[in-house]
Amino acid sequence: MLSANARREEIYHLAVTTGLASVEELSARFEVTASTIRRDLALLNGQGRLARTYGGAMALGAHPEASLRQRTGEAFEQKHAIARWAAALIIPGESILLDAGSTVGALAHELQKFEKLSVTTPGLNIMQELAESEGIEVDCLGGRLRNVSQSFVGPLAEAALERMSFDRVFLGADAVTAEDGICEADHAQTRLKELMARRGNDVYVLADSSKLGLRPFHAWARLALPWTLVTDDGADPEQVRKFLAAGIKVEQANASNFATTGD
Protein backbone atom coordinates (compact mmCIF):
# COMPACT_ATOMS: atom_id res chain seq x y z
CA MET A 1 0.00 0.00 0.00
CA LEU A 2 1.47 3.35 -1.08
CA SER A 3 1.58 6.34 1.22
CA ALA A 4 -0.78 9.20 0.39
CA ASN A 5 2.06 11.32 -1.03
CA ALA A 6 3.39 8.45 -3.15
CA ARG A 7 -0.10 7.71 -4.45
CA ARG A 8 -0.58 11.34 -5.48
CA GLU A 9 2.73 11.34 -7.32
CA GLU A 10 1.64 8.21 -9.19
CA ILE A 11 -1.69 9.83 -10.03
CA TYR A 12 0.11 12.84 -11.44
CA HIS A 13 2.45 10.61 -13.46
CA LEU A 14 -0.50 8.71 -14.93
CA ALA A 15 -2.27 11.93 -15.89
CA VAL A 16 0.86 13.22 -17.62
CA THR A 17 1.57 10.01 -19.52
CA THR A 18 -2.00 9.04 -20.43
CA GLY A 19 -3.50 12.52 -20.62
CA LEU A 20 -6.56 11.77 -18.50
CA ALA A 21 -7.20 9.97 -15.22
CA SER A 22 -10.70 8.91 -14.12
CA VAL A 23 -11.81 8.47 -10.53
CA GLU A 24 -13.00 4.92 -11.19
CA GLU A 25 -9.74 3.88 -12.85
CA LEU A 26 -7.62 5.36 -10.08
CA SER A 27 -9.76 3.93 -7.31
CA ALA A 28 -9.38 0.42 -8.72
CA ARG A 29 -5.68 0.83 -9.46
CA PHE A 30 -4.71 2.01 -5.98
CA GLU A 31 -7.36 0.02 -4.09
CA VAL A 32 -8.77 3.03 -2.25
CA THR A 33 -12.23 4.59 -2.21
CA ALA A 34 -13.45 7.05 -4.83
CA SER A 35 -13.72 9.67 -2.06
CA THR A 36 -10.01 9.26 -1.31
CA ILE A 37 -9.16 9.72 -4.99
CA ARG A 38 -11.32 12.84 -5.21
CA ARG A 39 -9.46 14.32 -2.25
CA ASP A 40 -6.16 13.50 -3.95
CA LEU A 41 -7.31 15.18 -7.16
CA ALA A 42 -8.54 18.23 -5.25
CA LEU A 43 -5.14 18.58 -3.58
CA LEU A 44 -3.26 18.21 -6.87
CA ASN A 45 -5.61 20.77 -8.44
CA GLY A 46 -4.94 23.17 -5.58
CA GLN A 47 -1.22 22.77 -6.21
CA GLY A 48 -1.74 23.71 -9.87
CA ARG A 49 -0.54 20.34 -11.14
CA LEU A 50 -3.81 18.88 -12.43
CA ALA A 51 -7.03 20.37 -13.79
CA ARG A 52 -10.22 18.74 -12.53
CA THR A 53 -12.60 17.40 -15.16
CA TYR A 54 -15.97 15.71 -14.89
CA GLY A 55 -15.18 12.33 -13.35
CA GLY A 56 -11.41 12.76 -13.09
CA ALA A 57 -8.51 15.06 -13.87
CA MET A 58 -5.98 15.92 -16.55
CA ALA A 59 -2.42 17.18 -16.44
CA LEU A 60 -2.18 20.93 -17.03
CA GLY A 61 1.13 20.71 -18.83
CA ALA A 62 0.00 18.03 -21.25
CA HIS A 63 -3.54 19.29 -21.93
CA PRO A 64 -3.93 22.92 -20.86
CA GLU A 65 -7.39 23.35 -22.35
CA ALA A 66 -9.95 20.84 -23.57
CA SER A 67 -11.48 21.50 -26.98
CA LEU A 68 -15.16 22.31 -27.39
CA ARG A 69 -15.70 18.89 -28.97
CA GLN A 70 -14.15 17.16 -25.94
CA ARG A 71 -16.22 19.18 -23.48
CA THR A 72 -19.50 18.62 -25.29
CA GLY A 73 -19.63 14.96 -24.24
CA GLU A 74 -18.79 15.61 -20.58
CA ALA A 75 -21.51 15.89 -17.89
CA PHE A 76 -24.19 15.46 -20.57
CA GLU A 77 -27.22 15.10 -18.27
CA GLN A 78 -26.10 17.94 -16.03
CA LYS A 79 -25.49 20.37 -18.89
CA HIS A 80 -28.78 19.63 -20.59
CA ALA A 81 -30.72 19.89 -17.34
CA ILE A 82 -29.15 23.31 -16.78
CA ALA A 83 -30.00 24.26 -20.37
CA ARG A 84 -33.66 23.31 -19.96
CA TRP A 85 -33.90 25.30 -16.74
CA ALA A 86 -32.38 28.35 -18.42
CA ALA A 87 -34.57 28.05 -21.53
CA ALA A 88 -37.68 28.18 -19.34
CA LEU A 89 -36.68 31.71 -18.26
CA ILE A 90 -36.63 33.17 -21.75
CA ILE A 91 -39.67 35.05 -23.01
CA PRO A 92 -40.42 35.24 -26.75
CA GLY A 93 -39.41 38.60 -28.15
CA GLU A 94 -36.43 39.05 -25.82
CA SER A 95 -32.94 39.94 -26.92
CA ILE A 96 -30.39 37.58 -25.39
CA LEU A 97 -26.62 37.12 -25.50
CA LEU A 98 -25.31 33.57 -25.58
CA ASP A 99 -21.66 32.93 -24.79
CA ALA A 100 -19.74 30.14 -26.52
CA GLY A 101 -19.22 26.77 -24.79
CA SER A 102 -20.84 23.37 -24.43
CA THR A 103 -23.43 24.20 -21.75
CA VAL A 104 -24.56 27.37 -23.50
CA GLY A 105 -24.59 25.32 -26.70
CA ALA A 106 -27.07 22.97 -25.02
CA LEU A 107 -29.20 26.03 -24.22
CA ALA A 108 -29.11 27.10 -27.86
CA HIS A 109 -30.39 23.63 -28.80
CA GLU A 110 -33.33 24.12 -26.44
CA LEU A 111 -34.17 27.43 -28.13
CA GLN A 112 -34.46 26.09 -31.69
CA LYS A 113 -38.28 26.01 -31.61
CA PHE A 114 -38.73 29.59 -30.42
CA GLU A 115 -40.78 31.62 -32.89
CA LYS A 116 -39.56 35.10 -31.96
CA LEU A 117 -36.17 35.72 -30.40
CA SER A 118 -33.06 37.83 -31.00
CA VAL A 119 -29.76 36.07 -30.22
CA THR A 120 -26.24 37.51 -30.30
CA THR A 121 -23.23 35.24 -29.83
CA PRO A 122 -19.47 34.88 -30.33
CA GLY A 123 -19.80 31.07 -30.57
CA LEU A 124 -19.71 29.06 -33.78
CA ASN A 125 -21.56 26.21 -32.05
CA ILE A 126 -24.40 28.57 -31.13
CA MET A 127 -24.67 29.77 -34.72
CA GLN A 128 -24.78 26.20 -35.97
CA GLU A 129 -27.50 25.24 -33.50
CA LEU A 130 -29.71 28.17 -34.55
CA ALA A 131 -28.84 28.46 -38.25
CA GLU A 132 -32.09 26.86 -39.42
CA SER A 133 -34.40 28.39 -36.80
CA GLU A 134 -36.57 30.73 -38.86
CA GLY A 135 -38.05 32.48 -35.83
CA ILE A 136 -34.68 33.45 -34.38
CA GLU A 137 -32.61 36.40 -35.54
CA VAL A 138 -28.92 35.65 -35.01
CA ASP A 139 -26.16 38.26 -34.82
CA CYS A 140 -22.50 37.26 -34.64
CA LEU A 141 -19.82 39.03 -32.62
CA GLY A 142 -16.88 39.00 -35.00
CA GLY A 143 -13.19 39.07 -34.11
CA ARG A 144 -10.33 36.59 -33.87
CA LEU A 145 -11.39 32.94 -33.91
CA ARG A 146 -10.02 30.77 -31.08
CA ASN A 147 -9.97 27.31 -32.63
CA VAL A 148 -9.96 25.39 -29.33
CA SER A 149 -13.13 27.08 -28.08
CA GLN A 150 -14.69 27.73 -31.51
CA SER A 151 -15.48 31.30 -30.48
CA PHE A 152 -14.59 34.85 -31.49
CA VAL A 153 -12.65 37.14 -29.13
CA GLY A 154 -10.67 40.36 -29.33
CA PRO A 155 -11.18 44.07 -30.04
CA LEU A 156 -13.70 43.62 -32.85
CA ALA A 157 -16.02 41.56 -30.66
CA GLU A 158 -15.57 44.01 -27.78
CA ALA A 159 -16.34 47.01 -30.00
CA ALA A 160 -19.54 45.41 -31.27
CA LEU A 161 -20.76 44.86 -27.70
CA GLU A 162 -20.52 48.58 -26.94
CA ARG A 163 -23.46 49.18 -29.30
CA MET A 164 -25.73 46.48 -27.85
CA SER A 165 -27.73 45.66 -24.74
CA PHE A 166 -29.66 42.52 -23.78
CA ASP A 167 -32.52 41.32 -21.63
CA ARG A 168 -30.48 38.31 -20.52
CA VAL A 169 -26.86 37.22 -20.79
CA PHE A 170 -25.86 33.55 -20.44
CA LEU A 171 -22.18 32.86 -19.84
CA GLY A 172 -20.22 29.61 -19.85
CA ALA A 173 -17.18 28.79 -17.71
CA ASP A 174 -14.24 26.40 -17.57
CA ALA A 175 -14.56 26.80 -13.79
CA VAL A 176 -16.17 29.25 -11.39
CA THR A 177 -15.49 30.28 -7.80
CA ALA A 178 -17.39 32.46 -5.35
CA GLU A 179 -14.26 34.50 -4.66
CA ASP A 180 -12.92 35.26 -8.15
CA GLY A 181 -15.68 34.54 -10.65
CA ILE A 182 -15.18 32.74 -13.97
CA CYS A 183 -11.91 30.92 -14.69
CA GLU A 184 -10.74 30.46 -18.28
CA ALA A 185 -7.57 29.48 -20.13
CA ASP A 186 -7.32 32.72 -22.10
CA HIS A 187 -7.32 36.37 -20.98
CA ALA A 188 -9.13 37.49 -24.14
CA GLN A 189 -12.01 35.21 -23.17
CA THR A 190 -12.28 36.57 -19.64
CA ARG A 191 -12.12 40.15 -20.90
CA LEU A 192 -14.99 39.46 -23.31
CA LYS A 193 -17.07 37.72 -20.62
CA GLU A 194 -16.74 40.73 -18.32
CA LEU A 195 -17.91 43.04 -21.11
CA MET A 196 -20.77 40.70 -22.00
CA ALA A 197 -21.97 40.66 -18.39
CA ARG A 198 -22.08 44.47 -18.33
CA ARG A 199 -24.49 44.57 -21.27
CA GLY A 200 -27.28 42.47 -19.76
CA ASN A 201 -30.19 43.25 -17.46
CA ASP A 202 -29.92 39.75 -15.97
CA VAL A 203 -26.72 37.69 -16.01
CA TYR A 204 -26.49 33.90 -15.60
CA VAL A 205 -23.40 31.70 -15.41
CA LEU A 206 -24.16 28.15 -16.57
CA ALA A 207 -21.72 25.70 -14.94
CA ASP A 208 -22.24 22.06 -14.04
CA SER A 209 -21.33 20.99 -10.51
CA SER A 210 -17.91 19.57 -11.47
CA LYS A 211 -16.69 23.12 -12.25
CA LEU A 212 -17.50 24.77 -8.92
CA GLY A 213 -14.59 25.95 -6.80
CA LEU A 214 -11.88 24.86 -9.26
CA ARG A 215 -8.91 26.93 -10.44
CA PRO A 216 -7.46 25.11 -13.48
CA PHE A 217 -6.16 28.25 -15.21
CA HIS A 218 -4.96 31.76 -14.38
CA ALA A 219 -7.33 34.05 -16.31
CA TRP A 220 -10.39 35.35 -14.46
CA ALA A 221 -13.57 37.29 -15.22
CA ARG A 222 -14.86 39.22 -12.21
CA LEU A 223 -18.61 39.81 -12.39
CA ALA A 224 -20.40 42.64 -10.62
CA LEU A 225 -23.38 41.65 -8.50
CA PRO A 226 -26.11 40.70 -9.01
CA TRP A 227 -25.66 37.55 -11.08
CA THR A 228 -27.01 34.01 -10.90
CA LEU A 229 -25.11 30.73 -10.91
CA VAL A 230 -27.12 27.97 -12.60
CA THR A 231 -25.71 24.54 -11.76
CA ASP A 232 -27.09 21.05 -11.17
CA ASP A 233 -28.38 19.26 -8.09
CA GLY A 234 -25.10 17.37 -7.67
CA ALA A 235 -23.30 20.49 -6.47
CA ASP A 236 -21.26 20.26 -3.28
CA PRO A 237 -23.37 21.97 -0.55
CA GLU A 238 -20.29 23.70 0.82
CA GLN A 239 -19.59 25.25 -2.58
CA VAL A 240 -23.21 26.38 -2.84
CA ARG A 241 -22.95 28.02 0.58
CA LYS A 242 -19.84 29.93 -0.53
CA PHE A 243 -21.66 31.41 -3.52
CA LEU A 244 -24.68 32.35 -1.45
CA ALA A 245 -22.47 33.94 1.21
CA ALA A 246 -20.86 36.07 -1.52
CA GLY A 247 -24.28 37.43 -2.51
CA ILE A 248 -24.61 35.28 -5.64
CA LYS A 249 -27.98 33.70 -6.34
CA VAL A 250 -27.77 29.94 -6.97
CA GLU A 251 -30.25 27.81 -8.92
CA GLN A 252 -29.88 24.02 -9.19
CA ALA A 253 -31.40 22.10 -12.09
CA ASN A 254 -32.58 18.53 -11.53
CA ALA A 255 -30.11 16.45 -13.52
CA SER A 256 -31.49 13.16 -12.17
CA ASN A 257 -34.87 13.99 -13.63
CA PHE A 258 -33.30 14.86 -17.01
CA ALA A 259 -31.57 11.46 -17.06
CA THR A 260 -34.99 9.78 -17.07
CA THR A 261 -36.86 12.22 -19.32
CA GLY A 262 -34.20 13.78 -21.56
CA ASP A 263 -33.37 12.81 -25.13
Side-chain angles (χ1 to χ4, degrees):
M1 180 72 69
L2 293 175
S3 68
N5 286 337
R7 182 179 64 247
R8 290 166 192 149
E9 288 300 318
E10 283 294 314
I11 289 172
Y12 176 72
H13 176 73
L14 282 171
V16 169
T17 55
T18 67
L20 183 69
S22 72
V23 170
E24 293 77 11
E25 170 194 345
L26 296 172
S27 177
R29 184 184 185 95
F30 295 107
E31 299 181 344
V32 295
T33 65
S35 296
T36 297
I37 293 297
R38 291 190 184 97
R39 287 193 293 271
D40 290 340
L41 297 180
L43 181 61
L44 290 166
N45 173 255
Q47 294 172 345
R49 302 178 70 188
L50 296 184
R52 292 289 297 274
T53 67
Y54 186 76
M58 62 184 179
L60 280 174
H63 298 270
E65 182 181 7
S67 69
L68 177 63
R69 180 174 295 181
Q70 290 171 314
R71 287 182 280 119
T72 298
E74 298 174 347
F76 181 88
E77 290 83 4
Q78 290 83 355
K79 290 177 180 180
H80 283 265
I82 290 168
R84 283 192 176 179
W85 189 96
L89 295 173
I90 298 170
I91 300 169
E94 286 188 331
S95 177
I96 66 172
L97 177 58
L98 298 184
D99 195 4
S102 56
T103 309
V104 184
L107 171 57
H109 182 78
E110 294 289 333
L111 300 180
Q112 288 178 344
K113 301 299 183 181
F114 269 65
E115 295 183 354
K116 186 179 180 183
L117 199 64
S118 175
V119 174
T120 300
T121 183
L124 289 181
N125 62 323
I126 309 300
M127 298 176 217
Q128 290 167 349
E129 287 284 357
L130 300 178
E132 297 183 11
S133 299
E134 295 183 359
I136 300 179
E137 179 183 276
V138 180
D139 288 315
C140 168
L141 293 179
R144 175 176 58 85
L145 178 64
R146 291 191 75 242
N147 291 331
V148 68
S149 63
Q150 292 291 284
S151 64
F152 293 101
V153 297
L156 293 179
E158 294 168 12
L161 276 175
E162 293 178 359
R163 299 176 179 272
M164 301 177 177
S165 64
F166 306 93
D167 296 301
R168 304 179 198 273
V169 173
F170 296 92
L171 301 175
D174 284 342
V176 59
T177 73
E179 300 83 5
D180 293 315
I182 296 174
C183 183
E184 296 286 340
D186 182 76
H187 289 286
Q189 282 188 299
T190 54
R191 166 69 176 165
L192 188 62
K193 287 177 192 291
E194 288 181 348
L195 295 177
M196 291 165 75
R198 295 174 191 171
R199 308 307 297 167
N201 294 335
D202 295 298
V203 178
Y204 307 86
V205 176
L206 310 185
D208 70 78
S209 56
S210 71
K211 298 178 178 179
L212 306 188
L214 302 186
R215 298 172 176 271
F217 306 112
H218 297 288
W220 294 89
R222 300 295 298 269
L223 306 182
L225 294 174
W227 59 276
T228 301
L229 169 67
V230 187
T231 188
D232 59 81
D233 52 358
D236 180 350
E238 180 58 30
Q239 285 296 328
V240 173
R241 283 192 289 271
K242 287 182 180 180
F243 283 97
L244 293 173
I248 300 160
K249 186 177 181 180
V250 179
E251 299 287 354
Q252 293 181 259
N254 190 337
S256 301
N257 184 60
F258 179 86
T260 60
T261 63
D263 46 32

